[in-house]
Amino acid sequence: MFENILLGFETALTAENLMWCFVGVLMGTVIGVLPGLGSTTGVAILLPLTLGLEPVTALIMLAGIYYGAQYGGTITSVLISTPGEASTVVTTIDGYQMARRGRAGAALSISAIGSFVAAIISLALLIALAPPFAEFALSFGPPEMLAVMVLGLATIVSFAGDDKVLGATMAVLGLLIAMVGVDTGSGVARFTFGSVDLLSGIPFVEVMIGLFAVGEVLHQIREGAAAPIRARFRDLMISRSDLSRSVAPILRGSLLGFLFGCLPGAGSTLASFMAYGIEKRVSRRKSEFGSGAIEGVAAPESANNAAANANFVPTLTLGVPGGATTAVLLGAFTIYGIQPGPLLFDQQPALVWGLLASFFIGNLILLVLNLPLAPVFAQLLRVPYGYMYPLILLTSVVGAYSISNNLFSVWVVFLFGLVGYAMKRLNFPMAPLVLGLVLGPLFEKALVQTSAIGDGNLLILFTRPLCLSVLVVAALLLLGPSVIATLRPGRRPAAADREPATTRKVDQ
Amino acid sequence: MNSAAESTREPIGQAVVFGLLAALGATVLVSSFGYGILRDGDRVGPGLLPMVVGLLLLLLSGWQLVTRLRGSTRGPVAAAPVGPETDVLGRTQARRIRQLRMVVVALPITILLVPVLGFLPAFGICVLFICAVVERRRPVQALLVTAVAVAVVYGIFGVFLDVPLPAGVVGDLFGS
C-alpha cells in the first residue's frame, strides 16, 4: 500500500502532471462558476483537448475539472442562487440567504474548508478501500456485473425525485440510444437506417456535450439573467463560532457523502441533499435552516466533495460510473484505450495511484486558490451571459468535431442540445438517461455472456449468492419506499425533507 | 407570452413527449423481432434487449401519458419554473423566446454551411449573428467578440491540437 501511494505521488508530482492538475482545477473552478457549465459539461467539452496528453496526465486534468467545478458551482449558488453544479443546488438554500445577509464570504470560506476536509477524509477512505474492493471484484463474473449494473440503474431511478416512473423511462431511453449501431455480439446493425455514421453507434461524448452544454445554453437564453451579489475580500473572514458550528456537519457530511458516492449511479447530488436533510434533523438550530444556517452550507458542500471522490470507487474498481461526470470520465478512459475494472489496479498502478495522489494535490491547490480568490472568480459572474454563450457554443461544436473529425458529431451535438433543452423545460431528470447510455453496451455484453454461461438460462442470476444479494438490494431500493408507504399510509415524509421539484431540473 | 398560457402548455408538452416516446417504444418493440430475439441454444440474440427496452418504453411512457391526460395527481412532473417576466437586463420573456428561436434556427443553417464556407468561417458568422442580431450588441463589440472567439478556438484546436477543421469549398478555392 505504502509503495503504491509513493508511486502515486511520484507520478502526480512530475512538473507536467502538476501543471495540468493546476490547469484542471483552475478551469474546473471557472467552469463551475459559469452559469450553464457544470463538471459534466466541462469534462465533456475539454476532453478533446487532452487527446494529445499521456492518459494519466489527461485523467489528472479531467479529474481536476471535476472537483474544481464542484467548488466553482458553490460560488454561483451562494452569490446568485443559481447552482453552477447540480450537487450545489441544496447550497443555494442557506448559502444564498447568508449572502443576502452580507455573509457571502463566510459561506464561501466554509465551503472551501469543508470541501477540503471532506476531500482528504474521502481520499483516505478511497485509498484504503478501493484496492481491497477491486480485489473482491475480481471474483465478479458477467452475472455479478450484470447485477451491479441493475443496481446502478435502480439506484439512480429510485433517487430520481418524486417520480420514479419518469426516472425509469429516462434510463430506458438511455439504454435504447446506446443500442444504435452494430451489435458487438452478433455483428447485426440495429436502428442505423442505412447510415454509415450510425454503424458505430451514437457517439457518447457528443451526446453529453449536446445534452449538457448546448441544452443548458438554450435553457439559459430562455430563463434570462439573474442579479449577482458581490463578495469582497474582507467578507471572506470566517468567525471562530462559524468554524466550531461547522466541525460536526463537515464530518457527518464527509462520511455520508463517501457512503453515497460509493453507490454506482448515486452521484454527488443525492449525497448533498441527504447531508442537508440529516443536518437539519440533528441540528440544535433547526429554525435557522432555510434562512442562512452555516451548517446548511457546510454539510452538503462536504458531502458533495466526498461523494465526488467516492464516485471513483465503482468507476475504477467495477467500470460502472458513480455519476454523470464519472460516466463521461469512463468514456475518456475508453478513448485512451484503458479498461476500468478490477484489473486496473494491477495492470495500471502508476495511472490509478497517480490519479488518486493527484486528488490530494488538486484539493490542496483548490483550497489555496479558493480561500483568497473566491471574490475574483465571482467577478466572472459580471460578464454578461450574452458574451459567454456564443463562445460556449463554438467551443462545444469544435470540441465535438475534433473527437472524430466528422461533421456528423456536430449534428449529434445540435440534436441532443434540443433534447437537453426539452428535458430541462419539462423537468425530466438527465442522470438516469446518461447512466442508461453509458451502461447500455456494458449491460448487453454482460447479458449475452451471462446467457452463454447459463446455456441460455438467465435464471442463473438467481442461483449465485452474490448476484442474488445485489439484485435483492436493487429491488429493495426500487420497491422499498413504495412498500413502506403503502404499509404506513398515514406517515408521509416532511415536505422539507423531500427534494424540491425545482431542483429536479438539474442533473446529478 | 404570459405565465398562465405557459403553465397550460407544459403538461401538454409533457403529454406530447410521452406520446412520442410510447410510439418510439412500440416501433422498437416491433422492429426488434427482425433482429432475432434468441440465437442458437436459446442464447440472447441481438433483438432481445431492444425488445425488452421497447416494451418497457412503451409501458412506462404510455402509463405517464395516460396519467397526464387524466390529469391525475399521481406521478405528476412539475414543469420547470418559468423565468422571470423581465430579467436583470430588462429582457421580456417574449424577447428571450425570440432569441432562443433565432439561435435554434441559426445552428443547423451554420452546420449546413460548413461544407461550403468552412468550419471556422461558418461558425464565425454564426457567432457574429448571435452577437449582432440576437444579442443586439454594437457592431464593433460584436466583431470583437467574434474575432476573439474564432481566434481562441483556432489557436487551441487548429494550431495547438492540429485538428483538421474543414476549409469548405470556399477555403479550397482560396487554397488552390
Side-chain angles (χ1 to χ4, degrees), chain A residues 60-77:
Chain A
I60 283 173
M61 181 191 156
L62 293 175
I65 294 171
Y66 179 25
Y67 49 80
Q70 301 283 333
Y71 185 77
T74 306
I75 297 176
T76 49
S77 291

Side-chain angles (χ1 to χ4, degrees), chain B residues 61-73:
Chain B
S61 305
W63 165 260
Q64 287 169 106
L65 175 64
V66 170
T67 52
R68 272 146 190 86
L69 288 179
R70 279 184 182 167
S72 164
T73 51

Side-chain angles (χ1 to χ4, degrees), chain A residues 136 139-151 446 450 458-475:
Chain A
F136 173 61
S139 61
F140 282 29
E144 283 76 18
M145 285 308 295
L146 188 65
V148 168
M149 283 183 258
V150 170
L151 174 65
T450 303
L458 287 174
L459 290 177
I460 63 157
L461 282 167
F462 303 103
T463 60
R464 297 163 73 113
L466 184 59
C467 199
L468 183 64
S469 314
V470 176
L471 288 174
V472 168
V473 173

Side-chain angles (χ1 to χ4, degrees), chain A residues 57 86 199 284 451 474:
Chain A
T57 311
L199 283 176
R284 281 178 295 171
S451 151

Side-chain angles (χ1 to χ4, degrees), chain A residues 169 190-191 222 389 427 451, chain B residues 6 44 46 64 78 96 135:
Chain A
T169 311
R190 296 181 302 196
F191 311 114
R222 176 74 178 76
Y389 79 81
N427 215 4
S451 151
Chain B
E6 190 76 25
V44 170
Q64 287 169 106
R96 298 200 300 268
E135 292 295 324

